[in-house]
Amino acid sequence: MPFTPGAELADTIVDASQSNLFEEGQMVIATPSLPDGAYSQYVNVNAVFPIPASMSWQEAASMFIIYHTGYYALKQCTRLKEGETLLVHAGSGGIGSAAIQLGKVLGATVIATAGNDEKVEVCKKIGIDYAINYQEGDFVKKVKKITNGKGVDVIYDPVGGEVFHCSRKCIAFDGRILIVGFAGGEIPSAPANHILVKNYSLVGVHWGYFRKLYPEKVFENHEQLMSLYQNGLIKPLIYKEYTFEQLPTALDELAERKTWGKIVLKLS
């Protein structure tokens, strides 16, 4: 402490006199140098990335971390191939919706889980092949039915806990489970004998550390993501824009799982 939340932001360059990379008036995405988060009038940043003029402020403020994480995970960590099957958990959320879109870009058949019928419909609107309401029964059985008993080749899991254990039951032989986070609150452990028998891989996705070690590759990935956006292949899913005064309400709705996609805070 003191700590200010907010992990990404979008704004305009107002003074480029000290830079040979950016111009005055250029639209950019930036990431704060913690503990100075983006919910502030003034923010120190550790990196700045250009965005196309066709991108809205709401989209710009919503896309950096979720699409970079998904792109790194699916293309570089697990090398998702055309024709493979991908299961995305929490598909209607920010990180899940980005993974769905990127999975389709890479040529996969994509299945998603979501927590209610409204969120299932959200998944369908962004191009999912199959959407499952996990509140209405065992998603493992449904995934096996969709894949004719084979299971999925890749699982994108930002939830952890019991969702991870169920995922192990529907991963295909020689498949890959991407461990993206533990939004469910429980960090699970995997029995090594089960991994051996089904011959699958557990792949950690620590994009923040990748970014620290290979910043030049992050800039390369950013250029590719901006190209996908400009070609209409990816588009951030935005639930709602809030004023700064509405921030407590926005965070409460997020914590109570009332939202889908990303929420955006407008400071001015």
Side-chain angles (χ1 to χ4, degrees), residues 15-20:
D15 182 355
S17 60
Q18 303 298 314
S19 172
N20 58 4

Side-chain angles (χ1 to χ4, degrees), residues 49-165:
F49 298 82
I51 57 176
S54 59
M55 182 177 287
S56 72
W57 289 118
Q58 294 88 345
E59 291 171 335
S62 301
M63 77 165 304
F64 185 73
I65 292 175
I66 59 175
Y67 282 93
H68 271 273
T69 300
Y71 196 74
Y72 168 60
L74 296 174
K75 187 166 185 181
Q76 293 163 322
C77 289
T78 197
R79 296 176 178 83
L80 181 68
K81 298 186 285 291
E82 185 174 358
E84 289 192 309
T85 52
L86 168 67
L87 172 61
V88 178
H89 290 305
S92 67
I95 197 164
S97 61
I100 289 171
Q101 295 175 35
L102 292 168
K104 295 303 298 179
V105 166
L106 295 171
T109 296
V110 185
I111 308 166
T113 63
N116 58 45
D117 289 339
E118 178 189 12
K119 293 181 178 181
V120 164
E121 290 303 314
V122 168
C123 292
K124 291 178 179 178
K125 289 179 181 178
I126 57 175
I128 198 74
D129 294 295
Y130 303 94
I132 299 171
N133 183 344
Y134 64 78
Q135 299 283 8
E136 296 181 346
D138 185 359
F139 74 79
V140 174
K141 292 180 180 178
K142 295 178 181 179
V143 168
K144 288 186 176 180
K145 182 177 180 180
I146 292 169
T147 59
N148 295 316
K150 175 191 172 187
V152 289
D153 299 299
V154 175
I155 297 177
Y156 193 82
D157 181 15
V159 180
E162 187 59 29
V163 169
F164 170 79
H165 292 303

